[in-house]
Amino acid sequence: MNAQNVLQKAEQFFQDAPDLYPGETFTHKIPNIKLLSSNPSSVRGSLALTSHRITFKRYGLSSTQGDFFINIPYAAIRNIQKVGNRSRTRSAYYIEIETKDFRVYRFGFVRHNSQRGTVFTHVLEQLSMVPLPMLCTLPVQGISSEKKAGNGWHLYNDVVDYHRMGLVGPKSDGKLVITNQNRNFQISPTYPPQFVIPRHAENILQDVCAFRSRARVPVATFKYNDSALWRSSQPCVGILNTLSEEDVSYLGMIGPTVFVLDCRPMANAYGNRATGKGFETAQYRNVQLWWANIENIHVMRESMCRVKAAVFEPLVDETTRSAFGIVNGDVAHSVPKPSFMPVIDDSAFYHILHQSGWLQHIRTMLQAAAVGVEVLRGGTSVLVHCSDGWDRTAQVCCLIEMCLDPFYRTSRGLCSLIEKHFITYGHKFLDRTLFYQHESKKSFGLKIGSSMNHKEKQREESPIFLQFIDGVYQLLNQFPNHFEFNQTLLIDILDGFFDGISGTFLSNTIKERFQNSLMMYPSLWDLLELEHVKYLNLDYSPFSESILPKIKMRNIAFWKDYYCRYSEQ
């Protein structure tokens, strides 16, 4: 073979490969692949496999833009399965990939070679390493060397934020103080090293931590006039109605009246008492208790499964409907992880969407925020908690602060709010996002996430962060002139949440972020800053007053631009 032929083959081999990120390596190209869809004429192209992702490029496509260039980061894959047998010539023969960001692809292969097995094995190997491959090599894209330390990692400064709002510092009334008793994470492993507590509570802090689930003591995060927003976990009163004098005294230091916004349904809270936990009982004399009725992570996971069924409803025939777990427009409970085909007939879309309860859950979350806003406006401090105080609590606190403080309605403010309530105060991003983990991670010296098998992790998976971003979209949709950013920022945050390029969400706690030196790697906020112009809301008119969520169902919109952006391709 002469040199010209070698060059031609090399050119042919790489012509459909994607542009690589710094540190990303190209491993396989699989030609003659069919992208299967409801359209009778399937699209042909090639698959390229790298250390970070799978791409599909239609033959003849001149760039990596358009409907038939597909980019699938391994970190975004929720499920992959082989369908069909090589020996059955009339049966389907493909790989189906379902992602966490509402995409489903079916790639058809020829039967007489091992290409399908090669792709399937390679993807499984990469999934066992997610989210580490990119983190081990990828520098911050497009950011000058002097900024590679990452301004995004220092976007949120708790002390500066608390001084800005007058929670502590010269503008405060002196009743609260920043404590550093948790500087080595010794009293509350899922909390930050320092947080705000009542000035005279330093000597009882450890006793209060011991009485609160997961040692998540009530801490102040926001000041509004003379009232403050607090967050915590549930108290451990149990069925014997155990009382902690220190905990009662601590809540007494918060204010003469404390409005406890318990995010849970009342029945769930009473059920938690049987496990030694519970809620603030009548023995807390200064407490006014209100149940927000936000369901738990398992209900939200099932609800999201049904939303996917609405978006990717498989209505080919009754046999297919049954096989995919759709019964009379509803998702059968016996199918926990249904597979989905591209939309063919969406006549049952609204029925399935209604059955999912997703919009009702969004409304309930916004209603809790609206109640918190009204109480704080009225001058009473609010304590928000659920069970452990890292899921629903983060959602509601963020939305309350966004409604009351116009800073959090800016791009920088939104990112700071996520850092503050979701990351600093320990939302379990790794567990809720179902990142695959493997023993091979030990070779990288990282210990991230919970020690659970994959089945246990599936029970921990839940769209809590997505639900919060949907809540922000609802506010943006209801008050379009009061937000500096547009919905593109929300979508890009979610894409960055799933794609595994940044280290921002790759921990369950701030302690893990420090232990695993995740700040060596890109911050999502730095990557978003590179394109900040496209996030500007041209209708933005700075508004210094608070806003109140509109909670009637007719004001709650299905976020079609996010959930349906791929299903219509």
Side-chain angles (χ1 to χ4, degrees), residues 406 409 479-484 537-544:
R409 300 197 289 270
F479 304 95
N481 299 329
H482 298 339
F483 288 80
E484 181 192 57
N537 177 8
L538 300 181
D539 296 323
Y540 177 53
S541 177
F543 183 72
S544 61

Side-chain angles (χ1 to χ4, degrees), residues 43-58:
V43 176
R44 287 188 177 272
S46 62
L47 284 178
L49 309 181
T50 77
S51 57
H52 173 62
R53 54 189 165 144
I54 308 170
T55 66
F56 173 84
K57 187 176 181 182
R58 184 189 66 186

Side-chain angles (χ1 to χ4, degrees), residues 13-24:
F13 185 79
F14 287 105
Q15 66 180 348
D16 295 319
D19 294 332
L20 298 179
Y21 295 123
E24 184 180 19

Side-chain angles (χ1 to χ4, degrees), residues 452-465:
M452 300 180 291
N453 60 41
H454 189 66
K455 188 173 182 179
E456 290 172 329
K457 289 175 187 173
Q458 286 179 315
R459 282 189 53 78
E460 287 290 300
E461 180 190 13
S462 192
I464 300 301
F465 186 65

Side-chain angles (χ1 to χ4, degrees), residues 523-539:
S523 163
L524 176 61
W525 316 131
D526 285 324
L527 301 177
L528 295 177
E529 177 62 23
L530 296 174
E531 301 184 281
H532 69 277
V533 174
K534 78 174 185 179
Y535 305 132
L536 294 177
N537 177 8
L538 300 181
D539 296 323

